[in-house]
Amino acid sequence: MVLDEASSFETSEDLATCLTTSPIISESWRLCSVANATAARSFVAENGGGDGEVVYVALSGVQMAEGTESSWRRLVALESIGGESLFSMHRKREEEEVVMVHAAIFDLFSSFFVSFRNQMLPIMRNSKTKSIVITGHSIGGAIASLCSLWLLAYLQHISSSISVLCITFGSPMLGNQSFSNAILKERWGANFIHMVTKHDIMPRILFAPTMPHIAQLNSLLQFWQFSMANPSSLGNLAMQVTDRDKAELFSFVTTYLHHAATQEGVEGLFRPFGSFLFVSDEGAVCVESSAAVIKMMHLMFVTSSPDSSIEDHLKYGDYVNKLSLQFLNKKSSMQGIVPNCSYEAGLELALHSSGITRQQPAFEPAKECLKEARRAGPSPALKAARLAITLSKFVPYRAEIECYKAWCDQQSDQMGYYDLFKRRGSSKREMKVNMNRIKLARFWNNVVDMLERNELPYDFELRAKWINTSHFYKLLVEPLDIAEYYGKGKQKTNGHYIKHGREKRYEIFDRWWKDSVAAREENSERSKFASLTQDSCFWARVEEARDCLDSIRSESDTTKLALLWQSIDKFEKYSMELIENKEVSLDVLAKNSSYSIWLEDLRELRELKAKEKKFSNHFNPFMDGEVIP
């Protein structure tokens, strides 16, 4: 068996071990307990250790007393949080469902978002802050996920290197399938770790329609939240929910969880996202696949009972406290039963950690589930290595485009790279360059697709090789895409390139470069002009400026004229700064380039407007009825 195909269960076991034995989990739970007991409907924040590099923020699980029939199932569209757009790099396809989250939970989050943001902004501005851990128990866990999404979007927007980790305990489901997909595409899945105990009904409850059991659910919430706020005096659930009610609720959730796990019946509204750390009395196992998470939720839950399904929601502290010792003991206790085969050993460890025994009916289905969850095909690391080999095969295509650019710069017509390609004919050279442009686009689109399917390592876009290579590709080839767009007159039907024609891959590469250390340090002065213009959309801005200039010639509305001149002045200033900093290539300054012609047209128009103004001022006395002798 190939090594990378045999290592998935060992990785799952090692990840679970690492998480449960690290201080992050125990510190997160400790602060959750503080928030539950002292900060109802709010949150608490603490520095982790004395250096202030890690900041913990815990959202209280004591958030609401009861829900209504509609509030339990209602979803609301999620496009932005606190003014920060979400999932902007991955536009929704028409056939995809809108990204949606639980409406009541989003309302709770919104009710204190301003105070949360006001407390977080100084923390993020503090140069000592390196990591932020957002955590929460029960409903507080779902709210913590929304807080983390805002942080991720905000930190991405300001290109901060602060890392964000969200750890939830017994959190209910939060969003639909599109929400789960969008988080994967943004590469944020690894930022969310959801701890779920073997029996806890809370993370599973939204897989079932809750309308027949609203009263019981409200009683459960009141019991849980009273117990969280007063851990020394647990609430009396028996006075509010009978054993019969508990049994009916348990059976009801189990049935719909089975439907969700086996994809029977109507598809549920909610789907998991991020990594799930399933814990039992025997240990923990980490699962990432959404389908496998639902199946494991079901298979572990059917070994439970109505009472334990409710009591387990309040026992996360017990699991956290004993997991570390269990992992130390398990290695010796399983010595006699662990198979020699790496694959079988990893599978055996994962099954043991799930708490499902060989004697239970759920054992074989759980074994098959974990087998299916094993990553099909090569590992992300191996795929990245193969992608690098494929990239080397595309280098000649890029080199031919570079040679074409050098050839354009030497032509006597002095039009330059952009304009020659825009007005190209059907020569063999130009056809080959265009074909190379298309081949490179296919390669980079495939890279983006692999990222969105989570087939590449989580740190792929942080690797200097791929940041620099994608950036060079963008600077070299996007001017040709812009030339193709305007050469075919697409702006007349679709609108200008930057807003209506730019490919998603370029927006993603912009973000990689902006987020990289290399980009932030690229401020040294140049001694000569760049080989490639550092704004890959420069020619699209030239085309927009040319359109503004044409509009001024025919526009009579003074308000519109003022806006047009404002746009022209802004671009002129921007372009002059690029030239002064030598951040443009020589083809921009070619005598007959679109930019040089635009500058000349702008100069002539200004001279004409100045003459008109002078002429108008000279004849004003006659216009006012004055007679000059």
Side-chain angles (χ1 to χ4, degrees), residues 42-227:
S42 188
F43 60 93
V44 294
E46 281 188 10
N47 285 329
D51 52 13
E53 290 189 353
V54 181
V55 176
Y56 288 83
V57 181
L59 283 298
S60 175
V62 183
Q63 291 290 343
M64 63 181 182
E66 60 182 15
T68 62
E69 237 178 62
S70 59
S71 67
W72 273 104
R73 302 287 290 173
R74 188 167 64 89
L75 294 171
V76 62
L78 183 69
E79 296 180 354
S80 64
I81 294 181
E84 295 297 330
S85 296
L86 297 174
F87 320 126
S88 58
M89 291 293 102
H90 307 282
R91 297 188 181 94
K92 181 180 72 68
R93 294 194 297 267
E94 290 184 4
E95 66 272 17
E96 284 184 336
E97 190 180 4
V98 175
V99 173
M100 304 185 82
V101 295
H102 195 288
I105 292 174
F106 186 76
D107 288 343
L108 286 169
F109 161 76
S110 302
S111 67
F112 62 81
F113 169 72
V114 173
S115 61
F116 173 79
R117 180 185 60 191
N118 290 343
Q119 185 158 343
M120 294 307 301
L121 288 176
I123 291 173
M124 290 185 284
R125 294 188 189 114
N126 189 336
S127 60
K128 292 183 178 180
T129 303
K130 304 300 181 186
S131 302
I132 299 174
V133 179
I134 308 293
T135 186
H137 176 212
S138 192
I139 294 172
I143 298 173
S145 294
L146 290 172
C147 291
S148 299
L149 279 177
W150 173 76
L151 277 174
L152 287 165
Y154 179 80
L155 291 170
Q156 178 177 284
H157 176 71
I158 64 173
S159 301
S160 172
S161 61
I162 296 174
S163 64
V164 176
L165 179 63
C166 178
I167 300 175
T168 71
F169 301 89
S171 170
M173 292 291 108
L174 179 58
N176 62 357
Q177 183 68 62
S178 291
F179 176 71
S180 177
N181 292 342
I183 288 176
L184 282 175
K185 290 178 180 179
E186 285 288 348
R187 310 283 289 167
W188 289 343
N191 296 87
F192 295 88
I193 298 171
H194 307 288
M195 181 179 279
V196 174
T197 64
K198 182 179 179 181
H199 306 303
D200 186 6
I201 196 173
M202 183 57 148
R204 299 161 167 98
I205 208 163
L206 286 178
F207 285 107
T210 56
M211 288 178 285
H213 299 278
I214 291 296
Q216 294 95 319
L217 287 172
N218 286 333
S219 297
L220 269 182
L221 282 175
Q222 291 171 5
F223 165 71
W224 281 332
Q225 294 187 21
F226 178 83
S227 300

Side-chain angles (χ1 to χ4, degrees), residues 296-527:
M296 289 303 294
M297 277 193 168
H298 170 248
L299 294 170
M300 295 176 79
F301 193 64
V302 295
T303 66
S304 181
S305 67
D307 284 331
S308 59
S309 71
I310 293 170
E311 295 165 359
D312 238 30
H313 189 59
L314 300 174
K315 292 184 176 180
Y316 282 88
D318 296 337
Y319 285 106
V320 169
N321 292 334
K322 64 185 178 182
L323 272 174
S324 177
L325 181 61
Q326 283 177 333
F327 272 106
L328 292 174
N329 292 335
K330 182 166 61 176
K331 298 300 181 182
S332 58
S333 65
M334 293 190 66
Q335 289 299 320
I337 62 173
V338 175
N340 293 327
C341 171
S342 173
Y343 172 82
E344 292 295 335
L347 178 57
E348 193 68 39
L349 285 170
L351 284 166
H352 183 270
S353 297
S354 72
I356 301 174
T357 65
R358 291 180 178 276
Q359 292 73 34
Q360 292 174 323
F363 182 82
E364 287 301 325
K367 186 174 183 179
E368 290 303 313
C369 174
L370 290 174
K371 283 183 178 180
E372 292 173 9
R374 196 188 86 198
R375 184 177 292 110
S379 69
L382 185 56
K383 286 186 177 181
R386 290 176 178 175
L387 200 58
I389 295 173
T390 305
L391 173 64
S392 67
K393 298 177 181 179
F394 280 80
V395 169
Y397 303 141
R398 190 184 71 187
E400 288 176 0
I401 295 178
E402 289 182 75
C403 291
Y404 173 73
K405 183 181 185 303
W407 176 83
C408 291
D409 292 342
Q410 296 171 0
Q411 297 308 294
S412 58
D413 54 21
Q414 298 185 54
M415 292 174 63
Y417 178 53
Y418 171 77
D419 287 283
L420 277 174
F421 189 78
K422 179 182 176 183
R423 303 180 189 185
R424 71 185 185 278
S426 56
S427 70
K428 185 177 179 180
R429 180 200 301 271
E430 291 161 333
M431 290 177 65
K432 191 170 186 180
V433 167
N434 191 46
M435 185 58 66
N436 290 345
R437 177 183 70 87
I438 294 170
K439 288 178 179 178
L440 287 168
R442 287 173 180 167
F443 170 79
W444 285 107
N445 281 341
N446 181 55
V447 172
V448 170
D449 289 343
M450 291 177 71
L451 273 171
E452 292 186 347
R453 294 193 299 266
N454 280 285
E455 295 178 5
L456 296 172
Y458 280 111
D459 65 343
F460 181 83
E461 61 265 42
L462 302 178
R463 299 179 180 182
K465 172 187 176 69
W466 291 101
I467 293 172
N468 295 329
T469 305
S470 63
H471 184 63
F472 184 82
Y473 158 75
K474 181 188 67 173
L475 297 183
L476 177 68
V477 178
E478 189 168 14
L480 301 184
D481 286 1
I482 297 168
E484 177 78 0
Y485 190 85
Y486 285 96
K488 291 190 173 180
K490 291 183 179 180
Q491 79 281 6
K492 295 177 182 177
T493 54
N494 300 339
H496 282 293
Y497 173 86
I498 294 176
K499 286 188 177 180
H500 304 286
R502 198 176 191 216
E503 293 287 344
K504 177 177 68 177
R505 63 180 178 273
Y506 293 130
E507 296 177 5
I508 293 173
F509 299 158
D510 276 345
R511 189 179 72 192
W512 289 5
W513 184 254
K514 185 179 179 182
D515 290 349
S516 71
V517 175
R520 291 196 292 273
E521 293 180 350
E522 184 70 18
N523 292 319
S524 57
E525 293 186 4
R526 295 178 180 272
S527 59

